[in-house]
Amino acid sequence: MYFYLKKLSLLKKFCIQVYFLTPIVIMKFGGSCLIDKSAFNRILEIIKIYKNEKKIIVTSAFNGITDLLLNTARNVNNPNVLDDNMAVLENKHFNTIEQIFDEDSEPFLKAKIWVDKKLSELEDTFADIKEFGLEPYYQDYVLSFGEILSTYILNQYLISKELDSVYIPANKLIITNDEFNNAYPFYEFTNQRVQELLIPMLENPQKDTIICITGFIGRNKIGYTTTLGRGGSDYSATILAHSIYETAEDKNIKVILWKDVDGLMAINPKYIPKSTLIRSLDYKEAKHIANFGAKILHPKCLEAIEKLKIPIELRNFSNPLEKIEFTEISEHTDKNEIKGISTVEDAVIITIVSGSLVDVPGVLAKIFKVMSKNKISVSLVAQSASEISTSFIVKEDESKRAVEALYNSGYFSDFFEIKSEQVAIINITGFKILENSTKVKIFQALEKKDIHVKALTQSTEELNLSLVVSRRDVINAIAIFHDDLCEDFEHKLNNNNKMELCRSNTN
Ligand code: ASP
Ligand code: MG
């Protein structure tokens, strides 16, 4: 009897789960997906495509609004700028409202009242900034208005189309540390809020509520609004995916970032116009490519979902029905492929040479302490095992400061020689880089064009090779890599196309 009851209750639980649980999709729409009536319409079409999923929509501010807010906050003492910017803010939002809603409908009025109310709160904040100065807290608070306006308008738009939708400002959900302008989430607290606020809606079989959440913003423990870094709405989407995964019954979760391109390209089309799309890659590969690529995705977005293996798709907003031309980042990858070649062109390599570096503990620490004190970010680092010299890369616009800071530090004086040179970095990413034969091809290709590599590194993660070359060599290097390594790239096209691609680029 006991077993029978236990079985029955298990069966009931199973049935409830199967019946209730629906896959969840978290979609992020950036400012370029909210530009006019047809863009809002396209969001409706996309919602229809995902009719079988529970939907969370994360929204960025309208195009250009975050920059405008920042500019205003920095110019509160200039009444002309303040007035002009407030007028632009008002016009941009009211114009959209007038385009997308039927005049005098309830959502139209609600959206208008919302914008009025928020803009007056914003004005009060500008007055505070004028009085107290632009503290980091104020900056984040001001920037949060972009998403608070856009997301509410989208939410009312969905309601006006007879969809069930709620608006939730992310500072009710995402709890962060105190690092204003670049905050990190505390998952423990965020999970709890997600569980309380979102899960009941997501697991309600009776209702198909579309949950509209502001991107980019969170709050710290004492309730101050924080922001997750510029372009942070993608991060909001993956943070929410993380917390939903950890709290929902069903782990069938996917993130879609709607972009104005198909996804990540194997090579920047600026160099190779016929470059192909990377259709699938894993988190590690994506982190390398995302970091150097056309800033389509920030690596921290991937960190939020990598361990949980939540897949993320980058899709073209103008082509929502596309079946294959998009990028999927997941735990799966073909290890026999080079995924992409990316470049950093505004790099400067700083080299410190000295016999005094040999076998002295803490020299590297000293170098990087100077950089960190001056808030200069260091990317590639190369040191020969002989320790005679150390080279590292900084961004061009920080390089002068970096060299001066080293000289002024008092440590790197007479016994050290400090050199700097403008360079570019070429990164070749993919598991295939592991193979000696790939490296042979790379260096044979460089040899053909007489291109000299000034420094190089390969991470222990083994899937990225970074080559430092002269800036004038970049175009040639990429062209020859593309031609000579063509066969190693991911081309899920059929073989004919693949041949075509190789041929067209060797011409
Ligand atoms: N609106 C913010 C920005 O422009 C966040 C985002 O767009 O993702 O940085
Ligand atoms: Mg933006």
Side-chain angles (χ1 to χ4, degrees), residues 201-214:
M201 279 189 267
L202 292 170
E203 290 182 354
N204 180 351
Q206 253 88 46
K207 273 183 143 188
D208 186 16
T209 308
I210 301 166
I211 309 171
C212 294
I213 302 177
T214 54

Side-chain angles (χ1 to χ4, degrees), residues 224-425:
Y224 286 19
T225 296
T226 52
T227 61
L228 306 170
R230 291 306 304 274
S233 300
D234 289 355
Y235 193 28
S236 309
T238 58
I239 291 171
L240 290 169
H242 176 120
S243 290
I244 292 169
Y245 186 97
E246 293 205 319
T247 48
E249 287 279 354
D250 191 358
K251 310 295 183 195
N252 191 351
I253 299 169
K254 168 160 95 174
V255 177
I256 303 178
L257 307 179
W258 293 97
K259 299 278 172 186
D260 46 17
V261 288
D262 288 339
L264 295 170
M265 300 303 282
I267 302 177
N268 187 338
K270 177 172 107 183
Y271 296 111
I272 307 286
K274 281 196 166 181
S275 174
T276 48
L277 182 76
I278 310 173
R279 292 208 178 77
S280 92
L281 71 173
D282 78 358
Y283 302 101
K284 274 192 191 138
E285 291 171 323
K287 274 196 268 181
H288 283 292
I289 290 175
N291 199 15
F292 300 118
K295 300 269 175 290
I296 285 175
L297 183 68
H298 196 286
K300 69 184 175 189
C301 301
L302 297 168
E303 249 151 44
I305 52 172
E306 178 177 2
K307 285 207 181 85
L308 307 176
K309 302 188 174 127
I310 301 168
I312 175 168
E313 293 175 3
L314 309 183
R315 286 180 163 274
N316 196 333
F317 182 64
S318 6
N319 206 358
L321 280 168
E322 181 54 58
K323 295 267 188 301
I324 47 170
E325 295 290 312
F326 65 92
T327 296
E328 186 194 48
I329 304 167
S330 69
E331 57 180 315
H332 307 293
T333 186
D334 184 338
K335 298 202 168 174
N336 274 320
E337 292 163 351
I338 285 181
K339 294 295 171 175
I341 298 182
S342 54
T343 54
V344 181
E345 281 147 88
D346 60 347
V348 165
I349 191 162
I350 297 179
T351 302
I352 301 182
V353 192
S354 173
S356 316
L357 288 173
V358 178
D359 227 7
V360 182
V363 175
L364 288 182
K366 286 202 173 79
I367 297 175
F368 298 130
K369 216 165 165 182
V370 174
M371 294 303 118
S372 134
K373 240 170 106 185
N374 288 279
K375 294 206 174 339
I376 296 170
S377 165
V378 171
S379 61
L380 179 149
V381 181
Q383 188 190 53
S384 60
S386 72
E387 301 179 53
I388 298 281
S389 75
T390 298
S391 297
F392 59 95
I393 297 265
V394 297
K395 289 204 192 86
E396 168 142 35
D397 55 6
E398 294 181 334
S399 61
K400 236 176 123 191
R401 261 191 329 117
V403 173
E404 275 164 18
L406 287 170
Y407 276 122
N408 295 337
S409 69
Y411 183 78
F412 304 101
S413 51
D414 303 347
F415 305 111
F416 295 86
E417 192 187 347
I418 302 173
K419 301 179 195 168
S420 69
E421 187 185 350
Q422 293 186 334
V423 288
I425 310 172

